Amino acid sequence: AVKLPAEVSVMELGFDEALFEKLKRHRTAMAKAEGVPVHRIFSNQTLEFMTRLKPLTLEAGKKIRGVGDVKAVEYLPEFIRVIQKHVNA
């Protein structure tokens, strides 16, 4: 996980448009499969934070705003897999 100095804002980290689109597509597929609105999975802002921070563990992902204990267990592992595949591509 990326540990940031307090003075570094998440907005200063690079935004990866390709990863953001992959995360959005994955969220849409999950929402469709569960019959729920996409924001029920994760908000766009949460996906943006994932795109900037690229968490590779549950612990790192749970530090992102919008990822609580329930969503961390229910959804986060699949999003981490998408991030890992993207980072290692």
Side-chain angles (χ1 to χ4, degrees), residues 21-48:
E21 290 305 319
K22 287 177 187 177
L23 293 174
K24 281 176 47 177
R25 279 196 303 273
H26 190 72
R27 177 187 64 182
T28 299
M30 287 179 82
K32 203 175 252 188
E34 291 192 19
V36 299
V38 292
H39 65 268
R40 162 73 176 73
I41 309 284
F42 289 123
S43 70
N44 280 346
Q45 184 182 48
T46 300
L47 294 185
E48 181 183 339

Side-chain angles (χ1 to χ4, degrees), residues 1 11-13 15 18 23-24 30-31 35 37-38 48-49 57 70 72-75 78 80 82 84 86 89:
M11 300 316 249
E12 293 178 72
L13 294 171
F15 183 76
L23 293 174
K24 281 176 47 177
M30 287 179 82
V38 292
E48 181 183 339
F49 290 158
T57 65
V70 172
V73 171
E74 211 172 324
Y75 303 122
E78 290 199 40
I80 288 173
V82 172
Q84 284 173 331
H86 181 80

